[in-house]
Every structure is written in C-alpha cells, then in structure tokens.
Amino acid sequence: MPTATRDLLAALDPLPHRDRTRRLVAWARTAPDRAQVCADLRRHGPYERRLALLAALATRNPRSPPPR
C-alpha cells in the first residue's frame, strides 16, 4: 500500500464516524494525489472501497449532467 494511502487511513482511523467523513471530504477536495489514492483504496476491502466512493462523491460537480 503506498505511503499516501497509509497516511490517509492512519489519519482517519482514530476519528469517530462523523469526523472521519468530514476529514475525508476535506482531503478529497484538496488532495493533489486523490486519484492515485482512491485507485489504491479500490483495490482493498469494503471499508477502503467505501472511502474511495465517498471521496469521489465529494468531488463530483453537481452541475454536470449525469452519465449516460
């Protein structure tokens, strides 16, 4: 697991659910390596895949048309 992914998981681990979600969203909106970390998270278990999904949802453009 790359260092950036381990660092993110370590930062989220001690937080309660609400704070973990807020921290993840803040990270996703500003992290220059978000795509790489999310790709790595998707290769792991259900918890990590859920984090990748939440990060993707947090950064989507609500004004863009839905995919077809």
Side-chain angles (χ1 to χ4, degrees):
M1 183 178 298
T3 303
T5 304
R6 279 195 309 270
D7 291 347
L8 175 64
L9 291 173
L12 297 176
D13 186 50
L15 301 175
H17 177 74
R18 180 177 292 210
D19 294 338
R20 187 179 314 137
T21 302
R22 287 180 180 160
R23 174 82 59 91
L24 177 68
V25 168
W27 168 85
R29 290 180 176 164
T30 60
D33 59 349
R34 179 183 52 83
Q36 293 87 359
V37 172
C38 286
D40 185 49
L41 289 171
R42 287 193 305 268
R43 288 190 284 272
H44 294 281
Y47 171 72
E48 291 84 0
R49 289 193 304 266
R50 181 178 174 277
L51 293 178
L53 175 62
L54 288 174
L57 290 172
T59 58
R60 72 184 181 117
N61 182 352
R63 295 175 193 244
S64 64
R68 293 180 181 221

